[in-house]
Amino acid sequence: MTTSASLPSEGAIAAEGTVTDRLVEANGQYASAFSDPGMDARPVLHVAVVACMDARLDLHAALGLELGDCHTIRNAGGVVTDDVIRSLTISQRALGTRSVVLIHHTNCGLEGLSDDFRHDLEMEVGQRPSWAVEGFRDVDQDVRQSIQKVRTSPFLLHTGDVRGFVFDVKTGRLREIAPA
């Protein structure tokens, strides 16, 4: 597995181009061998996974998923925000998903982050962010809260199969969190 530790230093990347240049080059190699898998946008397993954007979470590998199996919605903390509800609503109502899996993780950058972050940002740039930080102190409780937000959303058709988990970044194991 390639990690950032095995990549050239930032100075070396700059000498060869930007990280984005490297990604675009990698896409060219990918596209040269690409063939249309003949799929549509409807996930084969009818599931949407909401998870943290943390780079340590390889969701497809951790969950045994293949291309086309699920919708993946990621953000900082994997918290259920208005935009996550928007994506889940489209996923269910337009694209046929019926199950929702919520995945937070240990050692998350949002743990302990407060609205002071938002205030400090406002002081620095002179404008208040329109979004909430959504930091938390207890990852299990935040998963419970996320389950509740999904289950009580009036926009979602399928709220019976909503389950939440904490991914352990040291072991790779999921631990299921019972709803409140």
Side-chain angles (χ1 to χ4, degrees), residues 36-69:
D36 179 2
M39 299 175 182
D40 67 16
R42 294 176 176 270
V44 173
L45 299 178
H46 307 286
V47 63
V49 178
V50 178
C52 186
M53 65 186 190
D54 193 295
R56 296 171 290 180
L57 276 66
D58 183 349
L59 290 175
H60 276 75
L63 300 174
L65 296 168
E66 299 292 332
L67 181 67
D69 281 349

Side-chain angles (χ1 to χ4, degrees), residues 28 49 80 111 119 139 164 166-167:
V49 178
V80 177
E111 273 186 87
H119 175 74
V139 68
V166 173
F167 177 87

